[in-house]
Amino acid sequence: MTPHAQDQQTAKDRRQWAQYLVDERAEARVYRKLAQRRDGEEREILLALAEAEGRHEAHWLELLGGEPARLPAPSFSSRMLGWMARRFGSIFVLALAQNAEGRSPYADDPHATARMAADERVHREVVRGLAARGRRRLSGTFRAAVFGANDGLVSNLALVMGIGATGVASQFVLFSGIAGLLAGALSMGAGEFVSVRSQREMLDATEPSDYADAVLPDLDLDANELALVYRTRGMPEAEAEVRARRVLEAARSAEVAPATGPVAIGADHEVVGSAFGAAASSFLFFASGAIIPVLPWLFGLSGVGAVVLALALVGIALLATGAMVGLLSGAPPLRRGLRQLAIGFGAAAVTYLLGLLFGVSAG
């Protein structure tokens, strides 16, 4: 390699080190911003991550021989993380940070140490764990919102595309879209109501009762079935025997049947909300998605213009919901958005072709 080529390579390396430096600083700021909105263990973990990014920053400063006179701007992903951390401090920031840690180039860069590359891999798992806590807190509501809206988008787009392809008047397409919105939203709401109500009833049926409390003093102290009750509720045999004997002795000495002190068996069950609340949420989520394909006809458009605008509006919405799912699941948001788009447009294409065939045959 010629001296000139070597100088060029050195200059390129220094530019890359400077980029690493500003990105490490940006990531450390993100973790500190997030830590300001947390407390307890989560705050300590985020501050520890910021400290680790500081060690990486020191490595690049050492290679650069000190603070450079000019530094490049942070990467787009780092700037986006910083912007979201300042304004939201939410699960979305942690999901983006998880993706950023997973894209670290240190494993392939000879100027980064093996410890730094190992740090980045571990950081990804740490951020993944923090994001998982938020995902668990958000999962029920988020699932209902995203899948309800997505169902409305896809089903009503397919409906209006199929009806519109038959060549009927725009008023009929509009009526079909509104009817599809109401039918789907009512079906989703009713289904969610029945589902939640049934789940609550099943959970209520599993809870311990005081049905046998009144007869406890009459049971045989040495051979009684109260221990079997505790064992059916998940208590080990030896512990159940001790618990049963203690309860019976207390019942006999007081000559009043005490509460059986039921074993907590509902702790692992998912918390179930109101059936009416779940039904209303499902209705609104579905309707919010289903109204979008109908908007062009609702505002008086017709023909090809209405179809193109409906596809554009639904396409944007599908990309957004898919990207949101990708972010919260730690997957690439663009890939998830494109997958959602392909599914939605695929369903619409099928019904559109069927509508064309039906329109031709009816003509």
Side-chain angles (χ1 to χ4, degrees):
M1 182 181 295
T2 65
H4 177 70
Q6 188 173 1
D7 290 342
Q8 288 292 103
Q9 181 66 34
T10 301
K12 181 180 178 182
D13 286 343
R14 291 181 64 82
R15 286 195 298 271
Q16 184 63 72
W17 300 341
Q19 187 65 60
Y20 287 154
L21 174 65
V22 296
D23 286 343
E24 291 287 3
R25 286 176 175 174
E27 290 180 13
R29 283 195 298 271
V30 167
Y31 291 134
R32 283 193 289 269
K33 287 287 184 183
L34 291 175
Q36 292 173 3
R37 299 173 180 237
R38 299 291 196 278
D39 53 25
E41 186 181 37
E42 288 191 14
R43 177 183 174 86
E44 294 175 4
I45 292 171
L46 288 164
L47 290 175
L49 287 173
E51 183 181 347
E53 302 295 357
R55 292 196 299 270
H56 298 175
E57 175 189 338
H59 172 80
W60 301 119
L61 274 175
E62 182 180 354
L63 287 181
L64 288 165
E67 186 75 21
R70 296 183 61 184
L71 286 172
S75 64
F76 174 77
S77 61
S78 297
R79 293 198 301 272
M80 177 62 71
L81 270 174
W83 182 84
M84 292 186 71
R86 287 191 300 273
R87 286 160 177 80
F88 302 109
S90 67
I91 177 63
F92 293 100
V93 184
L94 289 171
L96 284 171
Q98 176 185 329
N99 287 335
E101 297 286 2
R103 292 192 301 267
S104 172
Y106 289 170
D108 301 319
D109 194 314
H111 301 102
T113 66
R115 180 173 295 178
M116 291 169 63
D119 282 349
E120 295 298 313
R121 285 180 175 266
V122 172
H123 290 179
R124 182 181 185 276
E125 293 307 303
V126 173
V127 176
R128 180 190 182 98
L130 289 174
R133 297 183 180 189
R135 289 183 184 116
R136 283 192 291 270
R137 291 193 292 265
L138 187 63
S139 60
T141 303
F142 175 74
R143 178 190 62 81
V146 170
F147 291 106
N150 190 70
D151 283 349
L153 283 167
V154 175
S155 64
N156 231 26
L157 176 66
L159 176 63
V160 297
M161 290 294 105
I163 295 295
T166 63
V168 299
S170 59
Q171 292 87 346
F172 191 78
V173 178
L174 174 60
F175 173 78
S176 300
I178 297 297
L181 182 156
L182 289 173
L186 288 169
S187 175
M188 289 283 290
E192 195 70 16
F193 178 86
V194 171
S195 174
V196 173
R197 190 63 175 267
S198 299
Q199 188 175 6
R200 289 182 66 89
E201 290 170 353
M202 285 190 292
L203 291 180
D204 289 343
T206 65
E207 293 299 320
S209 73
D210 58 358
Y211 176 75
D213 284 1
V215 298
L216 290 182
D218 298 327
L219 289 176
D220 189 327
L221 189 62
D222 296 318
N224 70 80
E225 283 75 30
L226 183 58
L228 300 180
V229 174
Y230 292 126
R231 289 173 63 184
T232 63
R233 297 174 185 173
M235 188 176 285
E237 180 178 1
E239 187 178 344
E241 294 285 350
V242 172
R243 175 72 175 273
R245 176 173 287 273
R246 186 169 65 247
V247 168
L248 291 187
E249 288 175 347
R252 289 184 175 183
S253 62
E255 296 185 353
V256 177
T260 56
V263 180
I265 63 172
D268 293 331
H269 291 312
E270 180 183 356
V271 175
V272 181
S274 163
F276 285 104
S281 297
S282 293
F283 181 94
L284 293 174
F285 290 142
F286 185 94
S288 67
I291 192 62
I292 293 177
V294 187
L295 288 176
W297 287 273
L298 195 61
F299 287 101
L301 295 180
S302 61
V304 177
V307 170
V308 171
L309 182 57
L311 288 172
L313 292 174
V314 172
I316 293 170
L318 287 172
L319 285 172
T321 56
M324 198 177 300
V325 172
L327 278 176
L328 290 181
S329 63
L334 179 59
R335 188 183 304 170
R336 290 292 184 269
L338 291 175
R339 183 181 70 178
Q340 207 88 331
L341 183 67
I343 293 171
F345 278 12
V350 171
T351 58
Y352 186 79
L353 290 174
L354 289 173
L356 284 176
L357 291 173
F358 183 81
V360 170
S361 63

